[in-house]
Amino acid sequence: MNRTGLIVALALALVVGLLFGIFPELDLKLASVFYDAPTRSFPLKSNTLAAIARDGAMWIAWAFAIPAIISLLVKLARPDRPLLTSGRTIVFLLLTLILSAGVLTNLTFKSYWGRPRPVTVTQFNGDQAFVPWWDPRGTCARNCSFFSGEGATAFWTYAPAALAPPAWRPLAYAAATVFGVTTSLLRMAFGGHFFTDVAIAGLVTFLVVWLAHGYIFRWPRTRLSDERIDAALTRLAWPGYRLRQRWLGHEVGPAPSV
């Protein structure tokens, strides 16, 4: 998560945005690679192994978040005990996952950016007009194409990669890139997304991870500490814990001061 990675991501975003903005037909040409004209379908969409691979990719991505989720839930249930894992790790992983694969995709763009999916446009036997990535005026009403939620989830694995030991970090970043690209190609092959949907999902997710990593770990003015996060969660969960203990007949005092 250094400046070189940020520069590369911004440069790619500029190139992809301009190229596919000026020549939007490139999205159709890339989607047509996976389209079978005689059957008027995206054949891989009906392939069982491909469907298993798609579901498996999401399970793999979420598996990296499960330890942080469990640690947070245990802390909320037992605030008298220390966190099972690093507080900064919990905040970093869950915050980036919620922002990239939740808020920015499903709650923002996919809900209000009416770009139809490839499988629904007229060029591929659908009934909706194709629109370029920058145009929100498509006729898709809900769960639209721009940008890819599953692509964002797959590329979110940059976050756990950023926490790998320094010696393993380059390999972890490479693995996250391959994982994100492979998952994105599957979404394109199913007719679920255009190239720009998955490419921009990956770039936006990388930027979210880069900024969050800097805010939480790297930048001195904003850098968090595990102790402060643990103490904040203790104060948050203590009233509910105290109420449960009182109901069970065990009196506990106020939250410990830190």
Side-chain angles (χ1 to χ4, degrees):
M1 289 292 131
N2 53 32
R3 290 186 180 179
T4 301
L6 176 63
I7 292 171
V8 171
L10 292 176
L12 285 173
L14 180 63
V15 170
V16 170
L18 286 177
L19 183 63
F20 284 79
I22 298 171
F23 305 105
E25 65 273 12
L26 290 175
D27 256 335
L28 290 170
K29 290 181 179 180
L30 290 175
S32 68
V33 172
F34 305 100
Y35 182 71
D36 183 60
T39 62
R40 297 183 178 183
S41 67
F42 290 87
L44 207 59
K45 186 179 180 181
S46 303
N47 186 286
T48 302
L49 290 179
I52 291 174
R54 173 193 175 184
D55 293 339
M58 292 300 96
W59 281 107
I60 290 171
W62 277 97
F64 286 104
I66 286 176
I69 295 172
I70 292 175
S71 182
L72 176 61
L73 292 177
V74 170
K75 179 65 178 180
L76 294 177
R78 292 298 305 268
D80 57 322
R81 296 182 178 180
L83 283 166
L84 299 176
T85 57
S86 162
R88 288 183 298 175
T89 296
I90 294 172
V91 172
F92 175 61
L93 292 180
L94 298 187
L95 176 64
T96 52
L97 181 59
I98 290 170
L99 285 177
S100 60
V103 174
L104 291 177
T105 52
N106 293 301
L107 296 181
T108 306
F109 281 92
K110 287 171 70 67
S111 297
Y112 300 102
W113 208 271
R115 188 186 200 188
R117 296 175 182 270
V119 72
T120 65
V121 301
T122 56
Q123 288 86 348
F124 303 120
N125 199 39
D127 58 1
Q128 300 185 59
F130 166 79
V131 294
W133 71 266
W134 50 265
D135 191 347
R137 297 168 298 176
T139 54
C140 172
R142 58 183 297 274
N143 193 25
C144 304
S145 190
F146 187 83
F147 50 88
S148 171
E150 290 185 29
T153 304
F155 280 109
W156 168 81
T157 52
Y158 280 128
L163 302 179
W168 290 92
R169 206 165 292 161
L171 182 61
Y173 285 142
T177 302
V178 171
F179 181 66
V181 169
T182 302
T183 302
S184 297
L185 285 174
L186 274 176
R187 296 302 293 131
M188 291 179 64
F190 289 168
H193 288 289
F194 292 104
F195 173 80
T196 46
D197 298 328
V198 295
I200 293 175
L203 293 167
V204 169
T205 299
F206 178 86
L207 291 176
V208 168
V209 172
W210 192 92
L211 289 170
H213 190 271
Y215 188 94
I216 294 170
F217 292 100
R218 297 195 313 273
W219 302 334
R221 291 186 178 182
T222 60
R223 193 162 49 205
L224 301 179
S225 70
D226 294 329
E227 293 76 17
R228 286 176 58 192
I229 294 171
D230 197 326
L233 290 173
T234 296
R235 291 192 297 270
L236 174 67
W238 198 266
Y241 172 70
R242 189 178 185 183
L243 184 63
R244 291 195 308 272
Q245 292 301 308
R246 183 176 298 174
W247 183 75
L248 293 172
H250 307 297
E251 189 65 37
V252 295
S257 58
V258 178

